[in-house]
Amino acid sequence: MTMSATVPLASRDDLSLAYTPGVARVCEAIAEDESLYSDYTWTSNTVAVVTDGSAVLGLGNIGPKAAMPVMEGKSVLFKQFGGVDSIPIVLDTQDVEGIIATVEAMAPSFGGINLEDISAPRCFEIERRLDAALDIPVFHDDQHGTAVVTLAALRNAAKLLGRTFGELRVVVSGAGAAGVAITNTLMAAGVQGANMIVVDSRGIIHAERGDLGGMKAELAAVTNVSGRSGGIAEALIGADVLVGVSGGSIPEEALAGMAPGAIIFALANPTPEVPPATAHKYAAIVATGRSDFPNQINNVLAFPGIFRGALDVRATTITDRMKVAAADAIAAIVADDLRPEAIVPSPLDPRVAPAVAAAVAAAAIEDGVARRSAAPVADTIAIEDGVAHLSAAPAPAVSISGAGTRPEPTP
């Protein structure tokens, strides 16, 4: 990673424009009208990638310094695929209140916050409270990025198999950050809560369990209406879909109870809950989180375009409609060429981020959370040699000659 200037500093005039006295005129303009802040600073295209190092990849709680390479990699992906600038930030605290206070305090430096690799259940409260407190998008990618791509893949799998999406019987194995978000996103997209069962390390989540609290209690109220109990084997009886985000292992005999022509997404990485060779015995379509098998459910299909679209319209939050729109855009890219081994596009497909950005921006406008109309995405993102280049509309001019000169407000 590196950081570079977007204007030359080759002469005294350049320096007087970029720094003093030019910078003072911009400061005065913003002080008088804070709505100009995003026009004249990098915040309109910059995201903070924030972690406390408590749940890094499959490595667990390895701390902030060991987490930094992942945050740097995430920032590179933001730039590569979405033309979004981002700064990796690792926090030397795992205290909920400390994380929230720190992110709130630094939020004016950014146009969005991408929370990363923060363990459940703390991640739910951190995201919820930051989203309520800040007027910029807050997005926990481990939750919602995974959910968006899972939804896209399931849309296409159902289409390929001739299934009615809303009638799918879905089992989610794992009730952590990804499992909760996948469950909620699938329901937001039309899967009936009555047809969804979530399984945690103690078995099926149902309303009569006395050990549930927080997000699990909320899931129990809207899923598994029939009150099925037991473990993963009981959950999978008659199921059309298994989504594994538990990191555990699901025995083959449990898969035997699934409906014929099932769909198995075993997303634990690097070791899927079900080995692909075993999954293919019981499923018509199989996906994993790994790049060396077909149908990789990869968050990079989602988060660069989601933030690109949100930043383009200066959205205040990321709504369920924006997430579903992102998933539908991802699914549509390969909808005309579906095969059991190709239900999602490649992470390197240059069509993905622009399509997702356009869909997210439109959904933000529909939901009333956009603060400006988006420019056509084709005008803001250009893919050259696999790299996204942003060509944003220029900010209104600020004169640096003449005391008291002010810019015209942006339409």
Side-chain angles (χ1 to χ4, degrees):
M1 288 182 63
T2 188
M3 190 168 69
S4 61
T6 60
V7 295
L9 292 176
S11 68
R12 290 174 64 89
D13 287 343
D14 292 340
L15 191 58
S16 68
L17 180 63
Y19 198 51
T20 183
V23 70
R25 294 292 182 259
V26 182
C27 293
E28 289 175 323
I30 294 171
E32 185 172 280
D33 180 2
E34 286 193 356
S35 69
L36 299 176
Y37 183 57
S38 295
D39 290 321
Y40 292 125
T41 69
W42 78 337
T43 57
S44 61
N45 192 56
T46 307
V47 170
V49 180
V50 181
T51 191
D52 65 354
S54 60
V56 181
L57 302 178
L59 304 175
N61 188 354
I62 60 175
K65 291 183 178 179
M68 177 58 92
V70 179
M71 304 309 112
E72 290 179 325
K74 196 83 172 198
S75 293
V76 171
L77 295 177
F78 264 117
K79 188 68 172 179
Q80 179 85 6
F81 296 111
V84 175
D85 295 315
S86 62
I87 302 297
I89 296 174
V90 294
L91 303 179
D92 193 14
T93 178
Q94 295 186 358
D95 174 66
V96 168
E97 299 301 328
I99 292 170
I100 291 171
T102 301
V103 175
E104 284 187 16
M106 70 182 184
S109 296
F110 301 97
I113 306 293
N114 183 94
L115 300 174
E116 192 77 19
D117 292 348
I118 298 174
S119 63
R122 298 174 313 118
C123 60
F124 302 123
E125 181 179 0
I126 290 169
E127 184 193 40
R128 177 181 56 80
R129 288 175 55 186
L130 286 174
D131 187 51
L134 302 178
D135 64 349
I136 57 176
V138 178
F139 186 82
H140 185 205
D141 188 49
D142 301 315
Q143 292 184 61
H144 309 299
T146 305
V148 164
V149 184
T150 299
L151 171 57
L154 191 56
R155 289 268 206 218
N156 279 342
K159 179 180 178 180
L160 186 61
L161 297 177
R163 307 285 179 82
T164 301
F165 182 80
E167 297 177 0
L168 291 172
R169 293 164 294 177
V170 180
V171 173
V172 177
S173 177
V180 170
I182 288 169
T183 302
N184 288 330
T185 299
L186 293 183
M187 289 191 294
V191 174
Q192 300 300 309
N195 290 339
M196 294 205 67
I197 293 177
V198 183
V199 182
D200 67 6
S201 60
R202 297 186 179 184
I204 295 174
I205 290 177
H206 58 86
E208 300 304 314
R209 270 182 52 175
D211 60 340
L212 301 178
M215 296 299 297
K216 290 184 181 181
E218 293 178 17
L219 288 180
V222 295
T223 63
N224 188 22
V225 173
S226 65
R228 190 180 301 190
S229 60
I232 187 65
E234 288 75 19
L236 287 174
I237 295 172
D240 301 306
V241 181
L242 165 64
V243 179
V245 282
S246 64
S249 177
I250 297 176
E252 183 172 348
E253 53 268 25
L255 304 176
M258 296 184 72
I263 300 165
I264 294 178
F265 294 171
L267 305 184
N269 206 351
T271 305
E273 291 86 351
V274 182
T278 302
H280 279 293
K281 296 180 183 179
Y282 303 96
I285 295 177
V286 175
T288 72
R290 292 176 49 143
S291 60
D292 52 347
F293 291 109
N295 296 328
Q296 183 189 18
I297 307 300
N298 192 323
N299 290 16
V300 77
L301 290 168
F303 68 83
I306 289 174
F307 270 98
R308 174 77 275 140
L311 291 170
D312 283 345
V313 296
R314 296 185 188 160
T316 58
T317 188
I318 295 175
T319 65
D320 284 344
R321 187 198 298 261
M322 293 162 73
K323 297 168 197 171
V324 172
D328 290 346
I330 294 167
I333 288 171
V334 293
D336 294 332
D337 189 29
L338 289 178
R339 304 183 305 280
E341 68 280 2
I343 57 172
V344 288
S346 163
L348 299 175
D349 191 321
R351 300 172 293 173
V352 174
V356 171
V360 167
I365 293 170
E366 291 177 15
D367 271 351
V369 298
R371 285 177 284 200
R372 73 172 186 179
S373 298
V377 173
D379 293 339
T380 62
I381 301 178
I383 306 292
E384 298 176 9
D385 298 325
V387 180
H389 300 276
L390 177 68
S391 56
V398 172
S399 171
I400 66 167
S401 62
T405 304
R406 296 290 183 264
E408 292 298 319
T410 304

